[in-house]
Each structure stands twice: as C-alpha cells, then as structure tokens.
Amino acid sequence: MNYRINAPKLAEEGKRKIYWAQVHMPVLLNLKEKLLSESPLKGVKFAGCLHVTKETGVLIRTLRDLGADLTWCGCNPLSTQDDVAAALVDEGVSIYASRGVSNEQYYDDIHSAMGIKPNVTIDDGADLTVEMHNSGNLSEVYGGTEETTTGVVRLRAMEKNGKLKYPIMAVNDAETKHDFDNVYGTGQSALDGIIRATNILISGKIVVVSGYGHVGKGIARRAAGHGANVIITEIDPIAALKAKLDGYTVLPMASAAMTGDLFITTTGCKDVIREEHFLKMKNGTILANAGHFNVEISIDTLKSSSVKVKQINQNTTEYELKKGNKLYLIGEGRLVNLVAAEGHPSEVMDMSFANQLLSAIKLIQVKGSLSPAVYNIEKTQDQQIAKAKLESMDINIDTLTEEQHTYLTGFSEGT
Ligand code: ADE
C-alpha cells in the first residue's frame, strides 16, 4: 500500500473541505489553469512534508494536475486533517499522515514519503530535508522549498555549517508569504484555536505574547482587537521597541508570568515559558504555542511540577501544581492554530502556495545550476503573486506617470 492514514471512510467529507478551500484560492488555481497545457512538472518526483489540511489538498491537486509524481507526509504529529488525507488517498495520491501519530510513526511517515526518491522536496519545518540529508540518498534531488521561518532558520544553519547539500528556495521569506500568512494567517487562526478549545472571552483578558516577529505581531493585533490588554515579551531590543511604540506593554517573562491570563508563544526558541514561570502564574492561566515546534513551553517541567493532570476536552489539559494552582495547556503545546483549529484561512495560503508552486517550477527550470544554499525568492515572483491576488479581489491600483518614473529613477531634482 502506498499510503498510511487514519480514516479512509472520511474521504467525502475531506473532498467537500478541499472544495471550500479551492473556492478561496484563486491565485493558485489561475496559475494552474495558465500552466496546464505546458505540464511543467511532468515526470518530476515530489516529496512533500507539510500540514495535511484542506489548503494543502489544493496544492497537492495542483502539483498532480501539472504532471508531478508525488508523495506526501505530515509535518506535525497533531496537525493532519484526517478527512483531507482520506480524500487525497481516494484520488490516488500517496499520503502518509494521520492526526495523533507517535514520534516514531511521524518519522516512519517521512521515510515512507522519501521512498519516491524525490527530485524536489517541499518542506515545512525542515524535518524532511534533514532526514533526506541523514539518508545520504540525494542523487536524484534538484532542490527543495521551505515554507516556514523555523525551517529557514534551520536550513540557513545547515548552510553555514557546510552541511546543506542541495539548494533550497526560502518560500517563507517571500513578502507575499510572511507578510500575510504569518501575520494575518496566524493572527486569526491562533486565536481561533484557543477559542475553539476553551470558548473563553478574550475581551478583558491580559494576553501575553512571547516574540514580536511577524507571528507575534499578528496575534497581538488580533488579541487587542478583541479587547485584550496585550503584553509582549522579547529578547530583541528592536522588536521590543516596535512593540512598545505599537502601544503594547513590554515586560520580561518573569514579570509577565505573574499577571497574564493567556500566554501565546511565537518565538521559535525553546523553554520560553519554564518552571520558574509556571510557579508564578495565576490559577486558571491558559498556555498555548503558535511556533512551529512544541519546545517553547517547557512541557516536561510542567508535567514534573504537577501533582495531577486532567483532560478537559480533546485539546485542553489541566495541570494542577503542588500549591494547588491549575494551568491549562492547549494542544499539547503544539501549533495551536493547526491542532485546535483548521490552520490559516485559505485566502492567505493561496499566496503561500502560489509561492511554493512558482519556486518548485523555478528549481526545475534551473536544475543542476544552483549551488547548495538557501535562496531568497525573487521580487518579480512576489509582485506577480501580489498582482494576481489584487486582481482576484477586484482591486485596482495606480501606475506611475512617465514624469514620476523619471523623478524616482533620477537624482537631479531636489529642493
Ligand atoms: N500552516 C498554517 N496554516 C496552514 C494551512 N491551512 N495549511 C497548510 N499549512 C498551514
């Protein structure tokens, strides 16, 4: 069998979900329509390791329809939408992804997807790319793409250490990706996950957001929009200053820990909230993570500081500390927007995945000529995607007059 999924019988439900996403992803679909006659991916083998959601379903169908031979696995043990996985398997796609897999099965799924001996890898978090390197079996690879900040950071570290063996397109670093997906996508979907898991009123709460990068900024803005008082914790002085001037309170975690009602980590770093902080927290504090890996909230020390653990619902766990205070962890500290909600809305994934498609085509076009490094996305690709998105929204913008163009490209006109 060329798949491993949880619930094949959910295929029809999954197809209805993918249909709904597709209706909201016009940029990717228009690109596909334009490219169909050329079959630019014909005969190219793809292995994808990216959350199996309805939006990814649209990407997978697009790659397949453009000629790709593909196989896919999840990039997080708790993010797979089992009905979507079933729908894709029903359509003949080779999927290795299930919600709730153990760590061992998670890596088995990655290795199964690698079995295709890919020419192109599509990754989210770099687990597939790292496993490809560990396998040493890179003879057929032209290159890969990376969807997320954490993955790009990891791959740049590999490059710096001379360990990266094939070129990577940093899809995350496209403006039409991180300025939209990370900001508006996570901003909305992280709160969506917390609300679905707890149904708490955000208004009036003290919400502590760790990290004021694109994701932190998006979440802070949405939480403030709900009527929360937002505190930012940071380690970077520039980001901290931006947060302060955007109107938020900036505090070290040691102080924020004592006042926050809801904590959301977005840093990409480990142990951001740890035992010394749990011990200071108020009774009833809620903890969630919106960063790629489940390392930001130190779960091991949360467990070891607790005398009792109780499951409140599928995505909320109560930890009773020795002094009696109860803390609530959402989604086992994994990506809250994908574990407790459906991930980013289709409208932003439209641009992220248009970037994935164009980057993959680029890798195929230049195959063999790029040295192993992490590459930024060209400005022309960003502009093409932004233009297509605006068109799909029926939005017109101005163009420079000839005089304005001359002014902007010249230097002689001053005061
Ligand atoms: N990452 C965040 N949201 C996502 C989604 N809806 N689909 C795939 N990857 C995602």
Short mmCIF file of all heavy atoms in Angstrom, two decimals, residues 99-135:
data_model
loop_
_atom_site.label_atom_id
_atom_site.label_comp_id
_atom_site.label_asym_id
_atom_site.label_seq_id
_atom_site.Cartn_x
_atom_site.Cartn_y
_atom_site.Cartn_z
N ARG A 99 -3.57 12.19 12.13
CA ARG A 99 -3.56 13.01 13.35
C ARG A 99 -3.29 12.10 14.54
O ARG A 99 -3.88 11.01 14.68
CB ARG A 99 -4.92 13.70 13.54
CG ARG A 99 -4.92 14.63 14.75
CD ARG A 99 -6.26 15.28 15.00
NE ARG A 99 -6.29 15.85 16.34
CZ ARG A 99 -6.24 17.13 16.63
NH1 ARG A 99 -6.18 18.02 15.68
NH2 ARG A 99 -6.24 17.55 17.88
N GLY A 100 -2.39 12.54 15.41
CA GLY A 100 -2.14 11.81 16.66
C GLY A 100 -1.06 10.74 16.55
O GLY A 100 -1.02 9.84 17.38
N VAL A 101 -0.18 10.86 15.56
CA VAL A 101 0.88 9.84 15.43
C VAL A 101 1.92 10.00 16.54
O VAL A 101 2.14 11.10 17.06
CB VAL A 101 1.62 9.92 14.06
CG1 VAL A 101 0.75 9.41 12.95
CG2 VAL A 101 2.15 11.32 13.79
N SER A 102 2.56 8.87 16.86
CA SER A 102 3.69 8.92 17.80
C SER A 102 4.88 9.53 17.06
O SER A 102 4.89 9.62 15.82
CB SER A 102 4.06 7.50 18.23
OG SER A 102 4.48 6.78 17.08
N ASN A 103 5.90 9.90 17.81
CA ASN A 103 7.12 10.42 17.20
C ASN A 103 7.72 9.42 16.21
O ASN A 103 8.18 9.78 15.13
CB ASN A 103 8.15 10.71 18.30
CG ASN A 103 8.63 12.12 18.20
OD1 ASN A 103 7.83 13.02 17.92
ND2 ASN A 103 9.93 12.33 18.36
N GLU A 104 7.65 8.15 16.62
CA GLU A 104 8.23 7.10 15.78
C GLU A 104 7.48 6.99 14.44
O GLU A 104 8.09 6.95 13.38
CB GLU A 104 8.14 5.78 16.54
CG GLU A 104 9.01 4.71 15.96
CD GLU A 104 8.75 3.37 16.66
OE1 GLU A 104 8.05 3.34 17.69
OE2 GLU A 104 9.24 2.37 16.13
N GLN A 105 6.15 7.01 14.53
CA GLN A 105 5.39 6.90 13.28
C GLN A 105 5.53 8.16 12.42
O GLN A 105 5.53 8.10 11.20
CB GLN A 105 3.91 6.61 13.54
CG GLN A 105 3.22 6.14 12.24
CD GLN A 105 1.73 5.98 12.36
OE1 GLN A 105 1.22 5.57 13.41
NE2 GLN A 105 1.02 6.31 11.29
N TYR A 106 5.68 9.29 13.12
CA TYR A 106 5.89 10.55 12.39
C TYR A 106 7.11 10.42 11.47
O TYR A 106 7.05 10.74 10.28
CB TYR A 106 6.08 11.69 13.41
CG TYR A 106 6.47 13.01 12.80
CD1 TYR A 106 5.52 13.80 12.17
CD2 TYR A 106 7.79 13.46 12.85
CE1 TYR A 106 5.88 15.02 11.59
CE2 TYR A 106 8.15 14.67 12.28
CZ TYR A 106 7.18 15.44 11.65
OH TYR A 106 7.54 16.64 11.07
N TYR A 107 8.20 9.90 12.04
CA TYR A 107 9.42 9.74 11.22
C TYR A 107 9.28 8.60 10.21
O TYR A 107 9.81 8.68 9.10
CB TYR A 107 10.66 9.60 12.11
CG TYR A 107 11.14 10.97 12.54
CD1 TYR A 107 10.85 11.48 13.80
CD2 TYR A 107 11.84 11.78 11.66
CE1 TYR A 107 11.26 12.76 14.17
CE2 TYR A 107 12.24 13.05 12.01
CZ TYR A 107 11.96 13.54 13.27
OH TYR A 107 12.36 14.80 13.61
N ASP A 108 8.54 7.56 10.56
CA ASP A 108 8.27 6.48 9.59
C ASP A 108 7.55 7.06 8.37
O ASP A 108 7.84 6.69 7.23
CB ASP A 108 7.37 5.40 10.20
CG ASP A 108 8.17 4.41 11.03
OD1 ASP A 108 9.41 4.50 11.01
OD2 ASP A 108 7.54 3.56 11.70
N ASP A 109 6.59 7.95 8.64
CA ASP A 109 5.82 8.57 7.55
C ASP A 109 6.76 9.38 6.64
O ASP A 109 6.65 9.34 5.41
CB ASP A 109 4.71 9.47 8.10
CG ASP A 109 3.53 8.65 8.65
OD1 ASP A 109 3.45 7.44 8.35
OD2 ASP A 109 2.71 9.22 9.38
N ILE A 110 7.67 10.12 7.26
CA ILE A 110 8.61 10.92 6.45
C ILE A 110 9.45 9.97 5.59
O ILE A 110 9.63 10.19 4.39
CB ILE A 110 9.52 11.79 7.36
CG1 ILE A 110 8.69 12.89 8.03
CG2 ILE A 110 10.68 12.40 6.56
CD1 ILE A 110 9.46 13.84 8.92
N HIS A 111 9.93 8.89 6.20
CA HIS A 111 10.78 7.96 5.44
C HIS A 111 9.99 7.28 4.32
O HIS A 111 10.52 7.06 3.23
CB HIS A 111 11.43 6.93 6.37
CG HIS A 111 12.44 7.59 7.28
ND1 HIS A 111 12.57 7.28 8.61
CD2 HIS A 111 13.33 8.58 7.05
CE1 HIS A 111 13.51 8.04 9.15
NE2 HIS A 111 13.98 8.84 8.22
N SER A 112 8.71 7.01 4.57
CA SER A 112 7.88 6.41 3.52
C SER A 112 7.75 7.39 2.36
O SER A 112 7.86 7.01 1.19
CB SER A 112 6.50 6.06 4.05
OG SER A 112 6.61 5.09 5.05
N ALA A 113 7.51 8.67 2.68
CA ALA A 113 7.38 9.68 1.61
C ALA A 113 8.69 9.81 0.82
O ALA A 113 8.68 9.99 -0.40
CB ALA A 113 6.97 11.02 2.21
N MET A 114 9.80 9.68 1.52
CA MET A 114 11.11 9.78 0.86
C MET A 114 11.35 8.62 -0.11
O MET A 114 12.23 8.71 -0.97
CB MET A 114 12.24 9.76 1.92
CG MET A 114 12.48 11.09 2.58
SD MET A 114 13.39 10.93 4.15
CE MET A 114 14.80 9.98 3.69
N GLY A 115 10.57 7.55 0.07
CA GLY A 115 10.74 6.36 -0.77
C GLY A 115 10.62 6.64 -2.25
O GLY A 115 11.12 5.89 -3.08
N ILE A 116 9.98 7.74 -2.61
CA ILE A 116 9.82 8.09 -4.03
C ILE A 116 11.16 8.53 -4.65
O ILE A 116 11.27 8.67 -5.85
CB ILE A 116 8.74 9.21 -4.18
CG1 ILE A 116 8.27 9.32 -5.62
CG2 ILE A 116 9.24 10.55 -3.70
CD1 ILE A 116 7.05 10.21 -5.83
N LYS A 117 12.17 8.76 -3.82
CA LYS A 117 13.46 9.34 -4.25
C LYS A 117 13.20 10.66 -5.00
O LYS A 117 13.36 10.77 -6.22
CB LYS A 117 14.23 8.37 -5.15
CG LYS A 117 14.63 7.10 -4.46
CD LYS A 117 15.86 6.51 -5.16
CE LYS A 117 16.42 5.32 -4.46
NZ LYS A 117 15.61 4.11 -4.54
N PRO A 118 12.79 11.67 -4.24
CA PRO A 118 12.30 12.89 -4.87
C PRO A 118 13.34 13.68 -5.65
O PRO A 118 14.53 13.67 -5.32
CB PRO A 118 11.82 13.71 -3.66
CG PRO A 118 12.58 13.20 -2.50
CD PRO A 118 12.80 11.74 -2.76
N ASN A 119 12.83 14.39 -6.69
CA ASN A 119 13.64 15.40 -7.36
C ASN A 119 13.49 16.73 -6.63
O ASN A 119 14.41 17.54 -6.62
CB ASN A 119 13.18 15.60 -8.82
CG ASN A 119 13.13 14.32 -9.60
OD1 ASN A 119 12.08 13.93 -10.13
ND2 ASN A 119 14.25 13.62 -9.69
N VAL A 120 12.29 16.93 -6.08
CA VAL A 120 12.01 18.19 -5.36
C VAL A 120 11.39 17.84 -4.00
O VAL A 120 10.49 17.00 -3.94
CB VAL A 120 11.04 19.08 -6.16
CG1 VAL A 120 10.68 20.35 -5.37
CG2 VAL A 120 11.62 19.46 -7.52
N THR A 121 11.87 18.48 -2.94
CA THR A 121 11.23 18.32 -1.63
C THR A 121 10.50 19.63 -1.29
O THR A 121 11.01 20.71 -1.55
CB THR A 121 12.25 18.01 -0.52
OG1 THR A 121 13.25 19.05 -0.47
CG2 THR A 121 12.95 16.69 -0.75
N ILE A 122 9.31 19.47 -0.73
CA ILE A 122 8.54 20.63 -0.26
C ILE A 122 8.41 20.43 1.24
O ILE A 122 7.82 19.45 1.69
CB ILE A 122 7.17 20.69 -0.94
CG1 ILE A 122 7.38 20.95 -2.43
CG2 ILE A 122 6.29 21.76 -0.28
CD1 ILE A 122 6.12 21.31 -3.19
N ASP A 123 8.97 21.35 2.01
CA ASP A 123 9.09 21.10 3.44
C ASP A 123 8.50 22.24 4.26
O ASP A 123 8.40 23.37 3.80
CB ASP A 123 10.58 20.94 3.78
CG ASP A 123 10.82 19.98 4.93
OD1 ASP A 123 9.85 19.62 5.61
OD2 ASP A 123 11.99 19.61 5.16
N ASP A 124 8.15 21.92 5.50
CA ASP A 124 7.61 22.92 6.42
C ASP A 124 8.19 22.60 7.80
O ASP A 124 7.67 21.75 8.51
CB ASP A 124 6.08 22.83 6.42
CG ASP A 124 5.42 23.92 7.25
OD1 ASP A 124 6.08 24.48 8.15
OD2 ASP A 124 4.24 24.21 7.01
N GLY A 125 9.31 23.24 8.11
CA GLY A 125 9.96 22.97 9.39
C GLY A 125 11.29 22.24 9.24
O GLY A 125 12.03 22.06 10.19
N ALA A 126 11.56 21.75 8.01
CA ALA A 126 12.85 21.15 7.62
C ALA A 126 13.07 19.71 8.09
O ALA A 126 14.16 19.17 7.88
CB ALA A 126 14.04 22.05 8.02
N ASP A 127 12.07 19.06 8.67
CA ASP A 127 12.29 17.67 9.09
C ASP A 127 12.57 16.76 7.88
O ASP A 127 13.43 15.88 7.95
CB ASP A 127 11.06 17.13 9.86
CG ASP A 127 11.01 17.64 11.29
OD1 ASP A 127 12.05 18.15 11.78
OD2 ASP A 127 9.94 17.53 11.92
N LEU A 128 11.84 16.95 6.80
CA LEU A 128 12.06 16.12 5.60
C LEU A 128 13.47 16.37 5.03
O LEU A 128 14.20 15.42 4.73
CB LEU A 128 10.99 16.41 4.54
CG LEU A 128 11.22 15.79 3.15
CD1 LEU A 128 11.25 14.27 3.21
CD2 LEU A 128 10.14 16.25 2.16
N THR A 129 13.82 17.64 4.91
CA THR A 129 15.12 17.98 4.33
C THR A 129 16.26 17.40 5.18
O THR A 129 17.23 16.85 4.64
CB THR A 129 15.27 19.51 4.22
OG1 THR A 129 14.05 20.04 3.71
CG2 THR A 129 16.41 19.91 3.29
N VAL A 130 16.12 17.50 6.48
CA VAL A 130 17.15 16.95 7.37
C VAL A 130 17.21 15.42 7.23
O VAL A 130 18.29 14.83 7.12
CB VAL A 130 16.90 17.38 8.84
CG1 VAL A 130 17.78 16.60 9.81
CG2 VAL A 130 17.13 18.87 9.01
N GLU A 131 16.04 14.78 7.17
CA GLU A 131 16.03 13.30 7.01
C GLU A 131 16.61 12.89 5.67
O GLU A 131 17.29 11.87 5.56
CB GLU A 131 14.61 12.75 7.17
CG GLU A 131 14.11 12.73 8.60
CD GLU A 131 15.08 12.08 9.57
OE1 GLU A 131 15.37 10.89 9.43
OE2 GLU A 131 15.58 12.79 10.47
N MET A 132 16.34 13.68 4.64
CA MET A 132 16.93 13.40 3.32
C MET A 132 18.46 13.43 3.44
O MET A 132 19.15 12.55 2.92
CB MET A 132 16.50 14.47 2.29
CG MET A 132 15.07 14.36 1.83
SD MET A 132 14.75 12.97 0.71
CE MET A 132 15.76 13.39 -0.69
N HIS A 133 18.97 14.44 4.12
CA HIS A 133 20.43 14.56 4.30
C HIS A 133 20.95 13.39 5.12
O HIS A 133 22.00 12.82 4.81
CB HIS A 133 20.78 15.89 4.95
CG HIS A 133 20.78 17.03 3.98
ND1 HIS A 133 19.62 17.57 3.46
CD2 HIS A 133 21.79 17.74 3.41
CE1 HIS A 133 19.91 18.55 2.62
NE2 HIS A 133 21.24 18.68 2.58
N ASN A 134 20.22 13.02 6.19
CA ASN A 134 20.66 11.90 7.03
C ASN A 134 20.72 10.60 6.23
O ASN A 134 21.57 9.74 6.49
CB ASN A 134 19.72 11.71 8.22
CG ASN A 134 19.88 12.83 9.24
OD1 ASN A 134 20.87 13.56 9.22
ND2 ASN A 134 18.90 12.99 10.12
N SER A 135 19.81 10.47 5.27
CA SER A 135 19.77 9.22 4.48
C SER A 135 20.96 9.14 3.52
O SER A 135 21.33 8.06 3.09
CB SER A 135 18.47 9.14 3.68
OG SER A 135 18.57 9.97 2.53
#
